[in-house]
């Protein structure tokens, strides 16, 4: 599958972030990556190892359990993931209030 345009309409408004999250691909060890923005239904992150579109990953924001997500698009090592279950409003507020990474 080819990369999807970054100008596709979003399912929800996103909040800009400059932080790190944990990411784990099935069967592989987790690692830290940069997250650029997030909404209650997904986020845009920088992958260290490029997954396939449609691949299942687990995103771990500090202080929360891993969130199951599916890779929806890729542009180089930047990609968008959609959470399997939207984040509760209170959880989303916690995620977007997280202190910025160094």
């Amino acid at each position: 599958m080819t990369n999807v345009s970054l100008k596709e309409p979003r399912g929800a408004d996103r909040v800009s972030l400059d932080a790190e999250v944990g990411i784990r691909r099935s069967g592989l060890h987790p690692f830290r990556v940069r997250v650029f923005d997030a909404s209650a239904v997904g986020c845009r992150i920088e992958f260290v190892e490029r997954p396939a579109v449609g691949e299942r990953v687990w995103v771990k924001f500090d202080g929360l359990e891993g969130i199951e997500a599916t890779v929806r698009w890729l542009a180089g090592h930047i990609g968008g993931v959609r959470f399997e279950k939207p984040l509760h409003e209170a959880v989303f507020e916690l995620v977007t209030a997280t202190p910025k990474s160094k």
Side-chain angles (χ1 to χ4, degrees), residues 20-35 43-51 55-62 66-71 74 77 79-83:
E20 288 186 353
V21 296
I23 188 96
R24 184 175 65 80
R25 295 170 63 197
S26 185
L28 299 174
H29 292 289
F31 47 90
R32 302 286 288 175
V33 296
R34 211 170 140 208
V35 62
C43 63
R44 181 170 55 112
I45 59 178
E46 181 176 38
F47 288 98
V48 174
E49 297 173 353
R50 187 181 158 126
E55 185 174 334
R56 191 162 315 271
V57 297
W58 286 262
V59 179
K60 184 169 184 332
F61 289 90
D62 292 341
I67 301 165
E68 189 173 353
T70 302
V71 178
L74 293 164
H77 284 278
V81 300
R82 181 172 183 88
F83 304 139

